Amino acid sequence: MLAVLAGPAWAGPAAAQPVDRPCPTGVPRIVLWQTGAITLDGRKVQPKDIGPALVAHDPIPAEVCFAQDGTGEPAGEQAGDLGNALESLTFLKIKLSIYTGSDFMRRIGSYGDAAAPK
């Protein structure tokens, strides 16, 4: 899973080195924990529920911050479904910013359009 998210297709051209660029205040945050649990703004979610939860925001966010907590492959079957859920954000035109840890302080890169649908 980490290889999928850290690869060039996800991280984009600016992914060479992490930069000190915290996730902006008020931007939804998704964390993939080592246990395989996934949280959206601190609440546990299933991958299939991420898109609908973001669409329920008013307005739909232009950006979402994502981080994997810890190193190595996370446990759990749902962790494998998360890549598809995050990729579906592109259909919503939500920019996915990727961070090195669950503190959301060091950005690796981003993927997708920054303009949310109206």
Side-chain angles (χ1 to χ4, degrees):
M1 177 53 134
L2 180 60
V4 170
L5 294 175
W10 276 100
Q17 295 293 320
V19 294
D20 291 332
R21 184 171 171 209
C23 179
T25 303
V27 170
R29 297 171 185 220
I30 298 170
V31 179
L32 172 60
W33 299 94
Q34 279 301 119
T35 61
I38 300 165
T39 57
L40 172 60
D41 291 336
R43 294 180 315 273
K44 192 171 180 178
V45 294
Q46 297 296 314
K48 65 178 178 60
D49 298 328
I50 291 172
L54 294 174
V55 169
H57 277 239
D58 187 23
I60 294 173
E63 179 179 10
V64 171
C65 296
F66 170 80
Q68 180 175 324
D69 185 63
T71 58
E73 291 295 319
E77 291 181 22
Q78 72 176 2
D81 295 332
L82 182 60
N84 292 334
L86 295 178
E87 191 169 351
S88 71
L89 298 181
T90 61
F91 297 110
L92 298 171
K93 298 187 179 194
I94 297 174
K95 177 180 173 182
L96 178 66
S97 295
I98 304 168
Y99 289 79
T100 59
S102 60
D103 63 355
F104 293 96
M105 296 305 292
R106 295 184 53 97
R107 193 178 125 184
I108 296 171
S110 63
Y111 178 77
D113 193 337
K118 304 233 182 270

